[in-house]
Amino acid sequence: MDTDLLSARETCRLLGISQATLYAYVSRGLLESRPGPDHRSRLYPRQDVERLAQRKRAGRGAARGAAQSLDRGLPVLETQISLIRPDGPYYRGRSAVEAVRTGATLEDIARLLWDCGEHDPFAVEVDGNWPATVATIAGNERLPPLARAMAAIPLLALDVQHSFNSAPRVRHEIAAALLRHNAALLVAQPPFAGPVHRLLAQCWKPDDEGFAELVRAALVVCADHELNVSAFAARVVASTGAHLHATVCSGLAALSGPRHGGATARAYALIADAREAGSARDFIAMRWQRGDDLPGFGHAMYPHGDPRAAELLPRLRELHAGSPMLESLETIIAATEDISGQRPNIDFMLAAICHANGLAATPALVMFAAGRLAGWLAHALEQQAQGRLIRPRARYAGVAPAEPA
């Protein structure tokens, strides 16, 4: 056995835990597991086990526990918006996967996440023209989508009446306009009164109903994922009482980082590189043996596979059955699972949708940003309704001040 990998028994002995606790650690993303030689057992990286053991020995005081909670550890906030379970995210108790299957649109999910009740904020008439203050930016296709949205949205706020009104109905209507405006800005189009998935699909593959349905499904499963980096950023800003346009910009800023929204571009590049290699299987094996990560595969919250990706994959297969690109994607998926034990995540599927439809990498990020904005707004609305400022404390670890003489 590879000395850098430990069996479940050895791992439990070093950590002083039961196998049930070990499985819980894996499900929470605290430990990575890999397939054993017989493909039934699991092995655990020694380095990760020893690091976790050191953390346990260091104690679990309040300060240390709080610090560890910031990296997918213990829950730090209560929310009624979404719940992550092994079978995928749930939006206010409703399965995101089931919502896809019943034909829900992003707008349907937004109304659910925002707890709109019988009120439909999307029924408000949409002005199909941009205000003069943002028209030049909004239509500039040379700007990157996130940059275009982040530049225009603060200016749009200047024309929004009642931006600090606390009435739920008013705030829901502002949120609905923001959802539509953000989607239009991401693809440099005028504001659109119809469903977001149709706006995006028409930009990328006009009059292709099957593709539009795939985009709809992607937006729904991307709408929220509990307290991820961008949602937390939006909640922090919202806790100050800032208007919804500002909270949306904080979410977009967080998403722009390579370790968050940039994951779709890296997954897209992995697919392209694997296809260009003489053997996709050898390419994946080389990366894995070299210690490189495999963008688009594995997810700390879903150690047994990302249900969001599992819902999109059959839809992609049906739409592109028999195509050479789908065969390439299937080869990459099968080889990666066999070699690393990892399955596709949502980043891979968004990138795969783009590859299969002859699109560049950018639409993958646009789908993520257009869908996730519904969740950011839900978190902002919930945080402001709670009326509490998010202000954690830091544990100073720098140079000690000089003692007074």
Side-chain angles (χ1 to χ4, degrees):
M1 182 190 299
D2 188 339
T3 57
D4 289 333
L5 296 172
L6 301 174
S7 68
R9 179 173 296 186
E10 292 171 316
T11 300
C12 288
R13 179 179 58 82
L14 285 174
L15 294 176
I17 59 175
S18 66
Q19 286 210 353
T21 302
L22 173 61
Y23 299 147
Y25 280 6
V26 172
S27 69
R28 289 168 53 196
L30 298 178
L31 270 180
E32 175 190 347
S33 71
R34 299 183 182 179
D38 59 3
H39 295 285
R40 291 190 300 273
S41 60
R42 306 295 292 183
L43 301 176
Y44 305 87
R46 179 184 294 274
Q47 183 178 6
D48 291 354
V49 173
E50 291 177 346
R51 185 184 300 115
L52 186 56
Q54 184 177 9
R55 283 169 55 182
K56 284 170 65 67
R57 287 193 297 269
R60 297 196 177 211
R64 183 171 297 276
Q68 293 174 0
S69 293
L70 295 178
D71 186 13
R72 288 174 290 228
L74 299 173
V76 296
L77 287 173
E78 286 190 357
T79 181
Q80 297 182 28
I81 295 169
S82 64
L83 168 69
I84 296 176
R85 293 180 56 175
D87 58 338
Y90 280 70
Y91 304 149
R92 292 192 182 272
R94 181 181 178 187
S95 165
V97 169
E98 184 60 29
V100 168
R101 295 174 182 173
T102 56
T105 65
L106 179 62
E107 289 76 11
D108 293 330
I109 297 303
R111 285 189 287 266
L112 174 64
L113 291 172
W114 304 343
D115 197 21
C116 292
E118 297 300 317
H119 174 224
D120 182 8
F122 294 98
V124 177
E125 185 177 349
V126 175
D127 185 346
N129 298 304
W130 292 115
T133 50
V134 303
T136 303
I137 297 171
N140 189 341
E141 296 181 357
R142 292 174 297 176
L143 292 173
L146 296 189
R148 186 167 50 241
M150 284 191 286
I153 286 174
L155 297 175
L156 287 173
L158 300 177
D159 293 325
V160 176
Q161 294 182 348
H162 314 300
S163 59
F164 291 100
N165 191 312
S166 61
R169 186 184 187 94
V170 173
R171 298 179 66 71
H172 292 159
E173 291 177 358
I174 293 173
L178 254 175
L179 189 80
R180 286 169 162 162
H181 286 161
N182 177 66
L185 287 167
L186 289 171
V187 289
Q189 294 294 310
F192 179 66
V196 167
H197 72 274
R198 295 205 172 275
L199 169 66
L200 302 185
Q202 194 65 18
C203 287
W204 300 327
K205 293 195 73 176
D207 304 319
D208 188 327
E209 186 61 29
F211 177 70
E213 273 296 290
L214 189 57
V215 173
R216 177 192 66 80
L219 293 177
V220 168
V221 296
C222 285
D224 194 61
H225 207 234
E226 197 218 64
L227 209 57
N228 57 82
V229 175
S230 51
F232 186 64
R235 285 194 82 118
V236 171
V237 173
S239 77
T240 69
H243 55 68
L244 294 179
H245 289 68
T247 67
V248 163
C249 286
S250 65
L252 290 167
L255 191 64
S256 69
R259 296 179 64 186
H260 194 5
T264 56
R266 292 189 292 118
Y268 187 95
L270 177 75
I271 295 170
D273 292 344
R275 294 190 71 240
E276 291 175 5
S279 164
R281 183 180 182 84
D282 290 346
F283 172 78
I284 297 295
M286 177 191 67
R287 285 187 63 107
W288 186 249
Q289 292 166 4
R290 199 168 57 198
D292 293 346
D293 66 341
L294 299 172
F297 288 89
H299 196 292
M301 308 301 288
Y302 303 112
H304 302 298
D306 188 338
R308 300 168 298 174
E311 178 62 23
L312 296 180
L313 183 54
R315 295 170 180 271
L316 188 67
R317 285 171 172 159
E318 182 179 357
L319 202 57
H320 296 279
S323 71
M325 176 57 75
L326 183 63
E327 291 177 8
S328 296
L329 293 170
E330 297 281 18
T331 299
I332 295 168
I333 291 170
T336 303
E337 183 172 0
D338 187 47
I339 292 166
S340 71
Q342 297 180 334
R343 296 175 180 174
N345 60 31
I346 187 62
D347 299 315
F348 178 88
M349 284 311 307
L350 294 175
I353 289 171
C354 293
H355 271 289
N357 289 282
L359 303 173
T362 301
L365 178 58
V366 169
M367 283 187 279
F368 195 100
R372 187 56 57 87
L373 186 122
W376 297 337
L377 287 166
H379 284 281
L381 291 166
E382 182 180 65
Q383 186 64 43
Q384 291 185 343
Q386 292 173 356
R388 292 196 298 268
L389 182 71
I390 297 176
R391 201 296 190 191
R393 292 295 309 278
R395 182 171 60 89
Y396 181 68
V399 176
E403 292 295 331

